[in-house]
Protein backbone atom coordinates (compact mmCIF):
# COMPACT_ATOMS: atom_id res chain seq x y z
CA UNK A 1 0.00 0.00 0.00
CA UNK A 2 1.39 3.40 -1.03
CA UNK A 3 2.15 5.98 1.61
CA UNK A 4 -0.58 8.54 2.23
CA UNK A 5 0.47 12.01 1.05
CA UNK A 6 -0.64 15.58 1.70
CA UNK A 7 -2.42 15.46 -1.67
CA UNK A 8 -4.52 12.53 -0.47
CA UNK A 9 -5.49 14.40 2.71
CA UNK A 10 -6.29 17.50 0.60
CA UNK A 11 -8.55 15.49 -1.72
CA UNK A 12 -10.52 13.86 1.10
CA UNK A 13 -10.83 17.06 3.16
CA UNK A 14 -11.70 19.27 0.20
CA UNK A 15 -8.90 21.71 1.06
CA UNK A 16 -5.79 22.80 -0.77
CA UNK A 17 -2.44 21.13 -0.15
CA UNK A 18 -1.15 24.42 1.30
CA UNK A 19 -4.02 24.55 3.81
CA UNK A 20 -3.50 20.92 4.80
CA UNK A 21 0.20 21.60 5.31
CA UNK A 22 -0.52 24.62 7.52
CA UNK A 23 -3.00 22.69 9.67
CA UNK A 24 -0.82 19.65 10.21
CA UNK A 25 2.35 21.67 10.81
CA UNK A 26 0.59 24.22 12.99
CA UNK A 27 2.50 27.03 11.31
CA UNK A 28 -0.44 29.38 10.67
CA UNK A 29 -3.93 29.63 12.19
CA UNK A 30 -6.89 28.46 10.14
CA UNK A 31 -10.60 28.25 10.88
CA UNK A 32 -11.76 25.65 13.40
CA UNK A 33 -14.06 23.92 10.92
CA UNK A 34 -11.33 23.63 8.28
CA UNK A 35 -8.80 22.38 10.84
CA UNK A 36 -11.29 19.76 12.01
CA UNK A 37 -11.89 18.53 8.43
CA UNK A 38 -8.18 18.27 7.71
CA UNK A 39 -7.36 16.39 10.93
CA UNK A 40 -10.32 14.03 10.47
CA UNK A 41 -9.21 13.26 6.92
CA UNK A 42 -5.62 12.69 8.02
CA UNK A 43 -6.74 10.33 10.75
CA UNK A 44 -9.10 8.38 8.52
CA UNK A 45 -6.36 7.89 5.93
CA UNK A 46 -3.70 7.03 8.49
CA UNK A 47 -1.48 9.91 7.37
CA UNK A 48 1.93 10.14 9.00
CA UNK A 49 4.22 13.13 8.41
CA UNK A 50 7.55 12.60 6.67
CA UNK A 51 9.92 13.54 9.46
CA UNK A 52 12.96 13.68 7.18
CA UNK A 53 11.27 16.10 4.81
CA UNK A 54 10.03 18.19 7.73
CA UNK A 55 13.54 18.33 9.17
CA UNK A 56 14.92 19.56 5.86
CA UNK A 57 12.25 22.26 5.64
CA UNK A 58 12.51 23.42 9.23
CA UNK A 59 16.22 22.77 9.72
CA UNK A 60 15.25 20.81 12.81
CA UNK A 61 15.34 17.08 13.42
CA UNK A 62 12.95 17.16 16.38
CA UNK A 63 15.44 15.11 18.39
CA UNK A 64 17.24 15.83 21.65
CA UNK A 65 20.36 13.93 22.68
CA UNK A 66 20.91 12.79 26.27
CA UNK A 67 24.33 11.61 27.48
CA UNK A 68 24.45 9.86 30.85
CA UNK A 69 27.28 8.33 32.88
CA UNK A 70 26.00 4.79 33.36
CA UNK A 71 22.58 3.33 32.62
CA UNK A 72 23.06 0.65 35.31
CA UNK A 73 22.70 3.28 38.05
CA UNK A 74 18.97 2.90 38.83
CA UNK A 75 18.42 6.62 39.35
CA UNK A 76 19.31 7.51 35.76
CA UNK A 77 16.57 5.38 34.09
CA UNK A 78 14.05 7.12 36.38
CA UNK A 79 15.30 10.49 35.17
CA UNK A 80 15.47 9.38 31.52
CA UNK A 81 11.87 8.18 31.71
CA UNK A 82 10.69 11.60 32.88
CA UNK A 83 12.67 13.35 30.14
CA UNK A 84 11.38 11.02 27.42
CA UNK A 85 7.76 11.42 28.49
CA UNK A 86 8.06 15.21 28.50
CA UNK A 87 9.74 15.24 25.08
CA UNK A 88 7.17 12.86 23.58
CA UNK A 89 4.36 15.08 24.82
CA UNK A 90 5.97 17.92 22.87
CA UNK A 91 6.33 15.85 19.69
CA UNK A 92 10.07 15.34 20.02
CA UNK A 93 12.26 12.25 20.22
CA UNK A 94 15.16 11.29 22.49
CA UNK A 95 18.50 9.81 21.45
CA UNK A 96 20.24 8.21 24.43
CA UNK A 97 23.97 7.60 24.87
CA UNK A 98 25.64 5.75 27.78
CA UNK A 99 29.34 6.46 28.35
CA UNK A 100 30.17 3.88 31.04
CA UNK A 101 31.52 6.49 33.49
CA UNK A 102 34.40 7.35 31.16
CA UNK A 103 35.05 11.01 30.18
CA UNK A 104 36.75 10.03 26.90
CA UNK A 105 33.77 7.88 25.90
CA UNK A 106 31.49 10.72 26.98
CA UNK A 107 33.25 13.13 24.61
CA UNK A 108 32.89 10.62 21.75
CA UNK A 109 29.18 10.10 22.47
CA UNK A 110 28.57 13.85 22.51
CA UNK A 111 30.32 14.20 19.14
CA UNK A 112 28.30 11.31 17.69
CA UNK A 113 25.02 12.93 18.73
CA UNK A 114 26.08 16.28 17.29
CA UNK A 115 26.95 14.51 14.02
CA UNK A 116 23.37 13.21 13.97
CA UNK A 117 22.16 16.82 13.96
CA UNK A 118 20.31 16.74 17.26
CA UNK A 119 18.58 20.05 18.00
CA UNK A 120 19.97 20.21 21.55
CA UNK A 121 21.72 18.20 24.23
CA UNK A 122 21.04 17.15 27.80
CA UNK A 123 24.16 15.96 29.60
CA UNK A 124 24.68 14.33 32.99
CA UNK A 125 28.43 14.87 33.23
CA UNK A 126 30.65 11.99 34.27
CA UNK A 127 33.14 14.21 36.07
CA UNK A 128 33.12 17.79 37.30
CA UNK A 129 36.62 18.40 35.92
CA UNK A 130 37.24 15.97 33.08
CA UNK A 131 33.87 16.47 31.38
CA UNK A 132 34.26 20.24 31.18
CA UNK A 133 35.96 20.65 27.78
CA UNK A 134 33.59 18.35 25.89
CA UNK A 135 30.51 19.94 27.44
CA UNK A 136 31.73 23.48 26.78
CA UNK A 137 32.54 22.66 23.15
CA UNK A 138 29.12 21.09 22.61
CA UNK A 139 27.38 24.07 24.25
CA UNK A 140 29.04 26.34 21.69
CA UNK A 141 27.31 24.39 18.88
CA UNK A 142 23.80 23.63 20.21
CA UNK A 143 21.66 24.54 23.22
CA UNK A 144 22.76 22.36 26.13
CA UNK A 145 21.56 21.82 29.69
CA UNK A 146 23.32 19.79 32.36
CA UNK A 147 21.04 17.88 34.70
CA UNK A 148 21.60 16.18 38.05
CA UNK A 149 25.35 16.83 37.84
CA UNK A 150 27.41 19.85 36.78
CA UNK A 151 30.98 20.50 35.66
CA UNK A 152 31.72 23.95 36.97
CA UNK A 153 30.02 27.35 36.81
CA UNK A 154 29.54 29.23 33.57
CA UNK A 155 29.73 26.16 31.32
CA UNK A 156 26.05 25.75 30.46
CA UNK A 157 22.56 25.95 31.95
CA UNK A 158 22.05 23.38 34.68
CA UNK A 159 19.35 21.80 36.87
CA UNK A 160 20.15 19.74 39.96
CA UNK A 161 18.79 18.91 43.38
CA UNK A 162 20.20 20.83 46.33
CA UNK A 163 22.55 18.08 47.54
CA UNK A 164 23.76 20.00 50.57
CA UNK A 165 20.21 20.61 51.73
CA UNK A 166 19.41 16.92 51.30
CA UNK A 167 22.33 15.84 53.45
CA UNK A 168 21.32 18.48 55.99
CA UNK A 169 17.85 16.95 56.22
CA UNK A 170 19.41 13.53 56.91
CA UNK A 171 21.75 14.85 59.61
CA UNK A 172 18.98 16.78 61.35
CA UNK A 173 16.78 13.68 61.34
CA UNK A 174 19.50 11.39 62.70
CA UNK A 175 20.61 13.86 65.37
CA UNK A 176 16.98 14.25 66.39
CA UNK A 177 16.73 10.51 67.02
CA UNK A 178 19.81 10.59 69.28
CA UNK A 179 22.47 9.36 66.85
CA UNK A 180 25.95 10.76 67.52
CA UNK A 181 28.61 8.45 66.01
CA UNK A 182 28.37 9.25 62.32
CA UNK A 183 30.02 7.65 59.30
CA UNK A 184 29.75 8.58 55.61
CA UNK A 185 30.05 6.07 52.77
CA UNK A 186 30.41 7.91 49.47
CA UNK A 187 32.04 7.92 46.06
CA UNK A 188 35.56 9.06 45.33
CA UNK A 189 36.38 11.26 42.35
CA UNK A 190 35.00 14.60 41.32
CA UNK A 191 31.48 13.92 40.08
CA UNK A 192 29.61 16.92 41.46
CA UNK A 193 27.03 14.81 43.30
CA UNK A 194 29.78 12.87 45.08
CA UNK A 195 31.68 16.02 46.04
CA UNK A 196 28.67 18.05 47.18
CA UNK A 197 27.22 15.28 49.34
CA UNK A 198 30.56 14.49 50.96
CA UNK A 199 31.33 18.15 51.70
CA UNK A 200 27.85 18.71 53.13
CA UNK A 201 28.30 15.71 55.43
CA UNK A 202 31.70 16.86 56.65
CA UNK A 203 30.47 20.40 57.33
CA UNK A 204 27.26 19.21 58.97
CA UNK A 205 28.89 16.68 61.28
CA UNK A 206 31.58 19.17 62.30
CA UNK A 207 28.85 21.65 63.21
CA UNK A 208 27.08 19.05 65.34
CA UNK A 209 30.24 18.08 67.23
CA UNK A 210 33.59 19.70 66.34
CA UNK A 211 35.40 17.17 68.54
CA UNK A 212 34.01 14.15 66.67
CA UNK A 213 33.77 14.99 62.98
CA UNK A 214 32.85 11.45 61.96
CA UNK A 215 34.43 9.00 59.54
CA UNK A 216 34.44 9.02 55.75
CA UNK A 217 35.00 6.06 53.43
CA UNK A 218 35.05 6.60 49.65
CA UNK A 219 34.65 4.13 46.80
CA UNK A 220 31.96 4.30 44.12
CA UNK A 221 28.17 4.47 43.77
CA UNK A 222 27.57 0.70 43.91
CA UNK A 223 26.08 -2.10 45.99
CA UNK A 224 29.47 -3.81 46.07
CA UNK A 225 31.15 -0.77 47.59
CA UNK A 226 28.37 -0.46 50.16
CA UNK A 227 29.01 -4.03 51.31
CA UNK A 228 32.79 -3.62 51.41
CA UNK A 229 32.59 -0.27 53.20
CA UNK A 230 30.22 -1.63 55.84
CA UNK A 231 32.72 -4.34 56.68
CA UNK A 232 35.42 -1.70 57.07
CA UNK A 233 33.52 0.59 59.40
CA UNK A 234 31.52 -1.81 61.59
CA UNK A 235 34.40 -2.60 64.02
CA UNK A 236 34.26 1.10 65.05
CA UNK A 237 30.54 0.71 65.87
CA UNK A 238 29.01 3.86 64.36
CA UNK A 239 25.37 4.40 65.24
CA UNK A 240 24.54 6.22 61.97
CA UNK A 241 25.77 5.46 58.44
CA UNK A 242 24.97 8.15 55.87
CA UNK A 243 25.42 6.93 52.30
CA UNK A 244 26.05 8.91 49.14
CA UNK A 245 23.31 7.08 47.25
CA UNK A 246 20.77 4.30 47.70
CA UNK A 247 22.90 1.59 46.09
CA UNK A 248 25.65 2.12 48.66
CA UNK A 249 23.05 2.16 51.44
CA UNK A 250 21.34 -1.07 50.38
CA UNK A 251 24.71 -2.83 50.11
CA UNK A 252 25.72 -1.50 53.52
CA UNK A 253 22.49 -2.69 55.16
CA UNK A 254 22.93 -6.17 53.67
CA UNK A 255 26.48 -6.55 54.97
CA UNK A 256 25.80 -4.97 58.38
CA UNK A 257 23.01 -7.45 59.02
CA UNK A 258 25.26 -10.32 57.93
CA UNK A 259 27.78 -9.07 60.50
CA UNK A 260 25.12 -9.26 63.21
CA UNK A 261 24.20 -5.57 63.40
CA UNK A 262 20.62 -4.60 64.16
CA UNK A 263 19.47 -2.01 61.61
CA UNK A 264 18.13 0.36 62.92
CA UNK A 265 18.51 -0.72 66.55
CA UNK A 266 22.31 -0.63 66.63
CA UNK A 267 22.90 1.56 63.60
CA UNK A 268 20.75 3.73 61.36
CA UNK A 269 21.43 3.70 57.59
CA UNK A 270 20.29 6.33 55.09
CA UNK A 271 20.60 6.75 51.34
CA UNK A 272 20.09 9.37 48.65
CA UNK A 273 17.92 9.37 45.45
CA UNK A 274 14.92 7.20 46.46
CA UNK A 275 15.25 4.65 43.69
CA UNK A 276 12.55 1.92 43.64
CA UNK A 277 14.90 -0.45 45.48
CA UNK A 278 14.86 1.82 48.55
CA UNK A 279 11.26 0.99 49.47
CA UNK A 280 11.82 -2.73 48.81
CA UNK A 281 14.94 -3.10 50.95
CA UNK A 282 14.77 -4.88 54.32
CA UNK A 283 14.36 -2.76 56.33
CA UNK A 284 12.86 -0.08 54.08
CA UNK A 285 15.45 2.62 53.47
CA UNK A 286 15.30 6.18 54.77
CA UNK A 287 16.55 8.34 51.91
CA UNK A 288 16.54 11.72 50.21
CA UNK A 289 14.09 11.79 47.32
CA UNK A 290 15.22 13.59 44.19
CA UNK A 291 12.34 15.27 42.31
CA UNK A 292 13.08 13.55 39.00
CA UNK A 293 9.99 14.87 37.21
CA UNK A 294 10.76 18.43 38.27
CA UNK A 295 14.42 18.08 37.23
CA UNK A 296 13.34 16.90 33.78
CA UNK A 297 10.71 19.63 33.43
CA UNK A 298 13.11 22.41 34.46
CA UNK A 299 15.84 21.12 32.15
CA UNK A 300 13.47 21.10 29.18
CA UNK A 301 12.15 24.55 30.10
CA UNK A 302 15.68 25.96 29.98
CA UNK A 303 16.38 24.06 26.76
CA UNK A 304 13.22 25.42 25.13
CA UNK A 305 14.23 28.94 26.11
CA UNK A 306 17.58 28.49 24.38
CA UNK A 307 16.02 26.90 21.31
CA UNK A 308 13.55 29.77 20.99
CA UNK A 309 16.18 32.44 21.67
CA UNK A 310 14.19 33.71 24.66
CA UNK A 311 16.99 33.85 27.21
CA UNK A 312 19.98 35.94 28.18
CA UNK A 313 23.61 35.03 27.61
CA UNK A 314 24.11 34.32 31.33
CA UNK A 315 23.85 30.64 32.17
CA UNK A 316 21.16 29.65 34.64
CA UNK A 317 21.58 27.14 37.46
CA UNK A 318 18.36 25.90 39.06
CA UNK A 319 18.61 24.06 42.38
CA UNK A 320 15.53 22.06 43.32
CA UNK A 321 14.36 21.19 46.83
CA UNK A 322 14.93 17.63 48.03
CA UNK A 323 12.57 15.64 50.25
CA UNK A 324 13.52 13.38 53.13
CA UNK A 325 11.58 10.12 53.14
CA UNK A 326 11.83 8.57 56.60
CA UNK A 327 11.45 4.80 56.66
CA UNK A 328 12.38 1.97 59.00
CA UNK A 329 16.16 1.93 58.49
CA UNK A 330 16.67 4.98 60.71
CA UNK A 331 13.95 4.83 63.37
CA UNK A 332 14.38 3.22 66.78
CA UNK A 333 10.95 2.03 67.77
CA UNK A 334 9.18 -0.83 69.46
CA UNK A 335 7.71 -3.34 67.03
CA UNK A 336 4.00 -3.92 67.60
CA UNK A 337 3.06 -7.60 67.92
CA UNK A 338 2.38 -9.30 64.62
CA UNK A 339 4.06 -6.67 62.45
CA UNK A 340 7.22 -6.70 60.38
CA UNK A 341 10.19 -4.89 61.96
CA UNK A 342 10.83 -3.15 58.65
CA UNK A 343 7.42 -1.51 58.51
CA UNK A 344 5.98 0.29 55.54
CA UNK A 345 5.05 3.70 56.89
CA UNK A 346 6.81 6.73 55.46
CA UNK A 347 7.23 10.28 56.69
CA UNK A 348 8.13 13.08 54.32
CA UNK A 349 10.08 16.21 55.22
CA UNK A 350 10.40 18.98 52.65
CA UNK A 351 12.45 22.11 52.46
CA UNK A 352 10.32 25.27 52.22
CA UNK A 353 11.17 25.88 48.57
CA UNK A 354 8.89 26.03 45.57
CA UNK A 355 10.33 25.20 42.16
CA UNK A 356 13.84 25.80 43.44
CA UNK A 357 16.18 28.71 43.48
CA UNK A 358 17.93 30.19 40.51
CA UNK A 359 21.56 31.06 40.21
CA UNK A 360 22.97 32.88 37.18
CA UNK A 361 26.53 33.15 36.10
CA UNK A 362 28.75 33.82 33.14
Amino acid sequence: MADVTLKDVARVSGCSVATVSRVLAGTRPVGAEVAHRVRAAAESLGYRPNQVARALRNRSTGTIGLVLPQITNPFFPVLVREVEHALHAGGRALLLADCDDDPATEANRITALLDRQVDALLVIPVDETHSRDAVALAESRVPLVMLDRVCGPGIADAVAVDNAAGVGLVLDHLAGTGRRRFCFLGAAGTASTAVERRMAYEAGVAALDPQAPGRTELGDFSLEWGRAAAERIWPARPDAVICGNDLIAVGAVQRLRQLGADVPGDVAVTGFDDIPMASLAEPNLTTVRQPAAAVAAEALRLLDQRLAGRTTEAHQFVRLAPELVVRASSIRRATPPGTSPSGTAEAHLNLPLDRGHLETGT
Side-chain angles (χ1 to χ4, degrees):
M1 181 177 177
D3 290 339
V4 177
T5 66
L6 288 177
K7 289 183 179 179
D8 297 323
V9 178
R11 174 177 50 78
V12 172
S13 66
C15 299
S16 69
V17 172
T19 299
V20 169
S21 178
R22 286 196 294 270
V23 171
L24 297 180
T27 54
R28 295 181 187 175
V30 299
E33 191 273 333
V34 170
H36 176 75
R37 288 209 326 265
V38 168
R39 292 194 180 98
E43 184 175 352
S44 68
L45 293 170
Y47 172 77
R48 294 292 180 269
N50 186 323
Q51 297 293 350
V52 174
R54 176 175 291 181
L56 291 173
R57 286 194 305 271
N58 300 335
R59 297 184 180 180
S60 168
T61 61
T63 57
I64 305 296
L66 193 159
V67 184
L68 53 77
Q70 195 170 59
I71 196 67
T72 54
N73 183 325
F75 175 67
F76 293 138
V78 172
L79 191 54
V80 169
R81 178 177 181 271
E82 297 294 345
V83 169
E84 197 280 331
H85 283 190
L87 286 174
H88 180 75
R92 291 178 292 186
L94 180 69
L95 291 180
L96 183 66
D98 177 6
C99 52
D100 202 24
D101 270 328
D102 178 54
T105 302
E106 177 182 56
N108 290 334
R109 297 291 188 269
I110 288 174
T111 298
L113 288 172
L114 292 173
D115 289 344
R116 289 180 176 270
Q117 302 296 309
V118 293
D119 296 336
L121 280 172
L122 296 166
V123 180
I124 306 172
V126 168
D127 188 276
E128 187 169 5
T129 302
H130 298 108
S131 298
R132 195 169 298 167
D133 289 345
V135 171
L137 181 61
E139 197 273 341
S140 71
R141 295 179 57 183
V142 298
L144 184 150
V145 175
M146 298 179 287
L147 63 164
D148 183 55
R149 299 181 182 182
V150 297
C151 52
I155 302 297
D157 292 334
V159 181
V161 74
D162 192 330
N163 288 294
V167 173
L169 288 173
V170 168
L171 288 172
D172 287 347
H173 162 64
L174 293 173
T177 61
R179 311 287 178 169
R180 291 295 181 268
R181 301 187 306 280
F182 297 100
C183 180
F184 180 79
L185 308 183
T190 58
S192 63
T193 48
V195 172
E196 290 174 4
R197 293 170 194 177
R198 180 177 73 246
M199 291 179 65
Y201 162 79
E202 291 171 350
V205 170
L208 287 171
D209 186 354
Q211 304 305 314
R215 179 173 175 176
T216 298
E217 295 284 345
L218 302 179
D220 57 31
F221 286 127
S222 70
L223 285 165
E224 292 75 19
W225 166 240
R227 296 185 188 111
E231 190 159 349
R232 287 191 192 185
I233 56 95
W234 185 235
R237 293 301 191 270
D239 66 1
V241 176
I242 297 121
C243 300
N245 79 346
D246 289 341
L247 287 178
I248 297 174
V250 171
V253 168
Q254 290 175 346
R255 187 60 185 139
L256 286 168
R257 297 183 76 189
Q258 289 170 355
L259 293 169
D262 176 4
V263 180
D266 297 327
V267 56
V269 179
T270 65
F272 204 112
D273 290 336
D274 197 28
I275 61 176
M277 190 186 300
S279 62
L280 301 175
E282 179 62 34
N284 304 151
L285 186 64
T286 291
T287 187
V288 177
R289 176 174 293 166
Q290 291 218 54
V295 170
E298 281 296 296
L300 294 179
R301 181 184 67 82
L302 293 177
L303 211 57
D304 286 339
Q305 285 185 347
R306 293 286 177 188
L307 286 166
R310 297 193 311 268
T311 191
T312 64
E313 289 301 316
H315 292 121
Q316 302 178 72
F317 190 169
V318 178
R319 288 280 192 183
L320 295 174
E323 176 186 2
L324 181 66
V325 182
V326 178
R327 299 192 181 103
S329 71
S330 67
I331 303 176
R332 288 192 181 108
R333 65 175 182 269
T335 304
T339 64
S340 166
S342 67
T344 57
E346 297 182 0
H348 302 262
L349 299 176
N350 292 85
L351 289 178
L353 300 178
D354 295 320
R355 187 177 65 198
H357 63 269
L358 182 69
E359 302 171 8
T360 60
T362 57

